[in-house]
Each structure stands twice: as structure tokens, then as C-alpha cells.
Amino acid sequence: MPAQIMSVEKGGQDFPAKLTKQVIVCSIIAAFGGLMFGYDIGISGGVTSMDDFLLKFFPIVYKKKHKAKENNYCKYDNQLLQLFTSSLYLAAVVCSFFASKCCKKFGRKPTMQLAAIFFFVGVVLNAAAMNLPMLIVGRLCLGAGVGFGNQAVPLFISEIAPAKYRGGLNICFQMLITLGILCANVVNYFTSNLHPYGWRISLGGAAFPAIFLGLGSLIIVETPTSLIERGKTQEGLNALKKIRGMEDVQKEYDEIHRATEVAKKIKRPYRNLMKRSSRPQLICGTILQVFQQFTGINVIMFYAPVLFQTMGLGADASLLSAVVTGSVNTVSTLVAIFGVDRVGRKFLLVEAAFQMLISQIITGVILAQNLKATNSISKHYAYIVVIMICVFVSGFAWSWGPLGWLIPSEIFPLETRTAGFFFAVSMNMICTFIIAQAFLTMLCHMRSGIFFFFAAWILVMGICAAFLLPETKGISIDEMNEKAWKKHWFWKRYFKSDDEQDVYIEPSTQDKP
């Protein structure tokens, strides 16, 4: 039998919804998954610049670091040192797949609880590490936590948030990432002089957000979409009333129920994700993750202390500079929270691309002219570079950082949502792994040219955001196809001319030829 075709009716209604305390509390607790992620991003760069840590696990790097005439750009070029940072993201790629299955079968809430458990185990192994294998295994457990958390949290927030507040609430996830990075930088600054176990305190600090997420997830509600999707319709209705703070939720409930009925008929969501009508969301959702990482932001966040030491700043000054950039990152994210649902996603992405492009070029020019293999850059130029990096970080923090997670979580229809978001999360982790594993080697060989490398990517992604990304501001998550993709000048050609969406339904065994 040929596959059946189901027509998805047009939406168009705006559902009544208040921004309740329940939604705010649930969003903040869920967003602590971002704090776990951010703390780990920030802590690894500072720890890898601490002499006690290097002497115990990477003595070769320790010797190169203190060699009198060692090449400025190659002090930290060591594949095992890079593996300490990047192994987390390799594990996150693999675990994102299992997390997407867990999200669909068991719900968003249990997936977040698993994230907290994996992360806590990884923290214990890292803080107590006696050798390199134990350290790497701990990083892999942290990666599992990141994979499960990053898969579940943005979906959770997008599904409980009213459409008009969805952008700001979802960016709470990114806000907690930036706050985690800042906390990690501050912790590193104070523990760097606690010999010989300062690095253990830094790594062990990640336990606090993991514990908070684990305990907090016990009191939050499951999303109505997940409950209805798993056949718990009455619980779903009750949850919807609870998070909306009103009894009159029938229209929104009916829309969610309709979407879940369509989704239930999809036996192979990954196969449907490959269909022509699913390509616009898949392409945009995954390419955003590539662009997010190839801005070069994780170079700054992972290796800020290393990078600033390369420019001639002392150990304490480099850690303090990392605290400054982390503070700029956190404060600038507030712009996204309050601006994304007012000015829209596209404006922030395009404006920030221009801002980041200029800062990367200026940084590259200064280093190309002033930082050679064995000299020290003057403090005057070093601080200009720090300012340019702050300009770069601020642009990223109110655009490509939070929107890289927000947009993929809101653009997929329910029948391919967890599968589509898995591809987005996996692409993010793959690109993060590539950058983390390759950066110190790239810095050694490309020197200041690495900033021009990232600048070229920023130019491309700014153009793509301006012309290929539809505006999703204020659109209900279950009406995204109708109101965004089918009206976009380029992507509308991927949908049927009669304005119906094709969905592949597995042929019924009861059908007769």
C-alpha cells in the first residue's frame, strides 16, 4: 500500500495565556541545566592553565609553558590536553540520541533528572581524579549530562511557555550558561593560588548546579505536550491549566491534542525528517549550530586564560580578564531576554554578526602586527584586545548564543520535534568537539590568522541569517509551519502548492490493496 497522506489544518488562533509564577519557576529550574553546561565551559580553560593541574596530568605541557623561548602560539599545543576539554562533547553527541528517545518515551522531566545524575557522577570522578583515564571518564560522564540536559531543557521551556514570552523564557537557558561561565571564571581566579588542590575545588564546584537541577526537577510539572503525547490526556489538561493559570485552555489543549494525534501516526520520525517539507527546519536548525560554534566563541570561553597568557598577560591577569569577559557575557544576555520578543530573532542575529565581524578583524590585525613567536605584546595592545573580545562576546551573548538554542527548539512540528532537535544538539556538540580538539593546534599553526578564519564564517552566517531565516517571533510553536515557513520567500517552495503539509504515515497492516 502507498503511504497515506494527512493534511494538517491551518491554525491561526492566539491562545489565551498568562505568564504565571509556575511557568517562571519551572523555566528557571530547568535552565539550571544551562548553568551546569556553562560552568563546565568556563572551568576547563582556567583549570588547564593551572600549573598544579598541568604538572599532575600533562607534565609535557607544563615544561613547554615555562620554557623561556617557547613559541607564544604553541605553548599549549597538546592533543591530550585538548582531549580533556573536547571529550565531553564527543560523549554529548552520542548521548543526545538516547536523550531524544528518552524525551519522547518518558518525558522531558525524567530526561533532565538523568542529566543531573550523569553530571554529578562526572563531577565526583573529575574532582577525585588520580590519573588521566579517570579524568577522561569523568569528562565523558559530564558529556552524557550535557547531552541529556541540552536535549531536554530548551524543549521543555518552549513547550510550557506562552508564545509571546517563549523567546525570553527560553533564553533563561542561555542566561544560566553565561552565569555558569562567569561563576567558573571567578572560582578559577580564587582557586588558582590554592596549591596543590585548587583545580580539584574548581572541578568539584560543578556539583552545585547538578544537585539543584536534580532536586528542582522533582517539583516542576511535565509539559502538557509530553503528557498528551504519551496518552496521559487528563494529566496533560491539568498541567496546561496549572501553567496557564486559568481554566479556559480548551483551544490550546485541542491544538496540542491535534498535533499529538498527527505525531502518533508517525512511526519513523527520522524518516519524516528527511522529507522535502521537513528540510527547511532541518537545514536551518542544524546550520545554526554550525554557525554558533564557528563564530569562535568557544575558543574564547574554553581557552580565555590560555589565550590571554599567549598575549603576554600574567596568570592572574589572564584569569581576571576571563572574569571580565564572563561578566560581559552574562550582562549582555539580558539584552536578548528583553529584546528577542520585541525586535525579533533576525535583527539580533544580523546586527551581532556585523559587531562580531569587526571585533574579530581588529583583534586579528593587532595580533598579526604585534605578537610574534617569542616576543611579548605591549600591555596597551593586550588590553585593546581584551576590549575587542568583550565587544565580540556581548554581540554573541544577545544573539547567536541564546538564539542558537531557541530557534531549533521552536521551529519543528511535533511529529519531528525531538528528532529534529536531536540533529541540532548533535551538530552543536560535533562542532564544539571539533573546535575544542583543534583550536590549540590551529592557534599554533595559524597564529593570528585564526581570527580571520572565524571572521570569514561570521560574514557568511550574517548573510544567511538575513536572507534564509524566517522570523518566528510571537508565533505559536504548533503553528510555525503555517505562519513562518510556508510564507518565507525561499522555503515556501518546499511545501505543496495547495498549502498542505505532507506527513509520511506508516502503512497500516489492516489496509487492503
Side-chain angles (χ1 to χ4, degrees), residues 30 94-115 118 144-159 173 213 220-232 260 263 269-270 405 409 414-423 425:
V94 176
C95 290
S96 291
F97 173 77
F98 296 103
S100 70
K101 297 288 188 183
C102 185
C103 268
K104 190 174 182 67
K105 187 171 183 179
F106 302 108
R108 285 50 163 160
K109 181 177 171 177
T111 306
M112 287 189 286
Q113 291 170 337
L114 281 174
F118 278 122
V146 168
F148 274 78
N150 286 8
Q151 179 73 29
V153 172
L155 285 180
F156 177 89
I157 297 174
S158 286
E159 289 181 348
F173 178 67
L213 177 64
I220 62 177
V221 299
E222 180 60 273
T223 72
T225 299
S226 178
L227 290 167
I228 297 169
E229 184 180 35
R230 291 180 289 125
K232 301 179 180 181
T260 58
Y270 289 93
W405 293 108
S409 74
L414 182 59
E415 58 266 19
T416 58
R417 188 170 299 159
T418 55
F421 196 63
F422 156 71
F423 272 92
V425 172

Side-chain angles (χ1 to χ4, degrees), residues 170-349:
N170 210 303
I171 290 172
C172 287
F173 178 67
Q174 179 68 21
M175 182 69 186
L176 268 293
I177 290 178
T178 63
L179 190 59
I181 293 170
L182 175 59
C183 290
N185 290 334
V186 172
V187 169
N188 280 335
Y189 181 72
F190 286 106
T191 60
S192 60
N193 294 315
L194 298 178
H195 305 290
Y197 298 117
W199 61 271
R200 293 190 187 276
I201 297 173
S202 291
L203 294 176
F208 291 101
I211 292 171
F212 187 92
L213 177 64
L215 296 179
S217 64
L218 297 175
I219 64 174
I220 62 177
V221 299
E222 180 60 273
T223 72
T225 299
S226 178
L227 290 167
I228 297 169
E229 184 180 35
R230 291 180 289 125
K232 301 179 180 181
T233 54
Q234 188 57 49
E235 290 181 41
L237 179 59
N238 294 338
L240 188 58
K241 290 178 181 179
K242 188 174 183 179
I243 64 175
R244 294 293 177 253
M246 60 180 66
E247 291 295 318
D248 184 19
V249 295
Q250 194 60 43
K251 286 184 179 180
E252 185 174 4
Y253 173 81
D254 289 341
E255 177 64 20
I256 295 173
H257 193 273
R258 180 200 63 79
T260 58
E261 287 301 308
V262 172
K264 284 179 183 178
K265 295 181 173 66
I266 308 303
K267 304 302 181 184
R268 299 178 183 176
Y270 289 93
R271 180 170 179 175
N272 275 276
L273 200 57
M274 299 298 115
K275 290 183 67 65
R276 180 178 174 83
S277 59
S278 296
R279 289 176 200 166
Q281 306 96 313
L282 181 61
I283 292 171
C284 289
T286 52
I287 202 69
L288 271 173
Q289 307 306 313
V290 177
F291 287 153
Q292 187 195 68
Q293 298 311 308
F294 278 83
T295 58
I297 186 62
N298 277 340
V299 167
I300 306 299
M301 293 301 125
F302 288 156
Y303 300 112
V306 172
L307 192 60
F308 291 136
Q309 281 193 33
T310 294
M311 293 185 299
L313 299 177
D316 287 345
S318 66
L319 286 170
L320 184 59
S321 298
V323 172
V324 171
T325 57
S327 301
V328 170
N329 192 21
T330 301
V331 173
S332 298
T333 305
L334 293 172
V335 176
I337 290 176
F338 294 107
V340 68
D341 290 317
R342 289 186 173 91
V343 301
R345 282 66 160 154
K346 289 184 66 170
F347 175 83
L348 290 176
L349 291 174

Side-chain angles (χ1 to χ4, degrees), residues 453-466:
F453 169 79
F454 289 122
W457 277 94
I458 292 171
L459 178 62
V460 172
M461 72 192 205
I463 294 172
C464 288

